[in-house]
């Protein structure tokens, strides 16, 4: 097993020597190379790497036309000649001593091994509570929006290992900033293992990321949702929901006209609308996801409808109490109910 350690760099000159030294010690006994993908750094990181290449097994790629973290990693995949790729930062926030643990996980049968801040034993050093909150919140949004990464605690880590087959002939979008997220959604693999590690402090130089990152991240999630077809699903679910309103009204009208009183007529009309929605969602919105037997899907769909109605009513009551205009309050309630029902049905009824 030959290992290629891929390191994207931008102004990391002062970190290289310690990085190479610690990688070499950690991988003592392994057949490995280090692939530096530098975007023509003003501090001449590439030049320093070339000098150090006399002492360490380093391949230097100096990109003069392209820029960007993800595209640098993808370039590294193309140039690396190992069977297993390790991706890590240059600033020693990713301790090289963790690499053998990632490789062990790969040897145990995982195609992807993630150095994870958020599994038991993992940590981040010196982060204020709100920074952790933002980081965890961002991950939660991703996990809710993208079913494929639902079980992964740290899907945005920049430190991971994978078998080269995972990304071979896979079209990865270099615009996204979290390359691991892209790989977890589009790559070819069966099993992921997360290995705990402590995300340390930057050794030298300064961070290039920040500010625009959050917005870019949300855009990336949106693109991946479209790619996975999850956004289509959301739209279909909405169309079905609208059809349910029409069915509900039509049957209410019918039952009242054949002599039922207005209060009782609402119950069968609502049930028929629920059955209408279930049917369309079953043969259209979630047609590719029928794992549970019909009676269970039907039962869960009813639970979702009831939960949604309850959520709608609670939000309505609270907002009206807070003196929000009642029609607006109801609309907000409907919006939340919609999200709750979609997520419940997506992950439980057809999960
Ligand atoms: N090639 C390349 N590397 C980058 C770019 N932006 C950041 N990096 C590298 O990506 C790694 C992580 O960046 P860093 O600034 O430490 O991010 P932070 O840890 O989130 O603050 C470091 O090794 C950077 O040198 C880029 O545009 N091109
Ligand atoms: Mg860093």
């Amino acid at each position: 097993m030959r290992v290629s350690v891929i390191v994207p760099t931008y102004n990391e000159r002062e970190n290289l020597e310690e990085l190479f030294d610690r990688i070499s010690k950690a991988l003592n006994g392994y057949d490995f190379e280090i692939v530096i993908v530098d975007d023509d750094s003003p501090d001449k990181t590439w030049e320093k790497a070339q000098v150090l290449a006399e002492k360490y097994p380093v391949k230097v790629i100096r990109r003069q036309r392209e820029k960007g973290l993800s595209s640098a990693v993808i370039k590294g995949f193309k140039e690396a000649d190992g069977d297993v790729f390790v991706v890590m930062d240059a600033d020693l926030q990713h301790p090289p001593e963790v690499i053998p643990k990632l490789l062990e996980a790969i040897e145990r049968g995982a195609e992807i091994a993630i150095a994870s801040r958020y599994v038991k034993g993992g940590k981040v050093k010196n982060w204020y509570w709100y920074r952790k909150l933002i980081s965890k919140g961002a991950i939660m949004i991703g996990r809710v929006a993208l079913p494929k990464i639902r079980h992964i605690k740290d899907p945005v880590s920049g430190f991971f290992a994978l078998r080269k087959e995972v990304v071979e002939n896979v079209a990865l979008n270099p615009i996204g900033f979290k390359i691991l997220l892209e790989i977890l959604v589009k790559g070819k693999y069966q099993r992921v293992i997360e290995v705990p590690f402590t995300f340390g402090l930057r050794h030298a130089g300064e961070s290039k990321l920040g500010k625009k990152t959050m917005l870019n991240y949300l855009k990336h999630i949106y693109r991946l949702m479209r790619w996975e077809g999850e956004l289509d699903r959301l739209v279909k679910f909405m169309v079905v929901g609208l059809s349910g309103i029409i069915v509900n009204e039509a049957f209410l009208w019918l039952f009242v006209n054949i002599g039922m009183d207005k209060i009782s007529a609402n119950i069968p009309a609502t049930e028929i609308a629920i059955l209408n929605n279930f049917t369309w969602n079953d043969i259209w919105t979630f047609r590719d996801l029928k794992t549970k037997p019909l009676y269970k899907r039907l039962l869960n769909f009813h639970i979702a409808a009831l939960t949604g109605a309850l959520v709608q009513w609670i939000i309505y009551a609270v907002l009206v109490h807070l003196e929000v205009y009642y029609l607006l309050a109801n609309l907000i309630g409907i919006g939340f109910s919609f999200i709750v029902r979609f997520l419940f049905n997506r992950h439980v009824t057809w999960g």
Side-chain angles (χ1 to χ4, degrees), residues 12 89-94 199 201-202 206-209:
E12 302 286 3
D89 293 353
D91 57 6
L92 296 154
Q93 287 190 287
H94 297 153
F199 188 73
L201 302 177
R202 179 172 259 282
E206 50 195 53
S207 169
K208 285 105 223 163
L209 312 179

Side-chain angles (χ1 to χ4, degrees), residues 337-348:
S337 159
F338 175 79
I339 293 168
V340 166
R341 278 178 292 129
F342 178 77
L343 291 177
F344 187 93
N345 284 319
R346 172 64 184 85
H347 293 298
V348 181

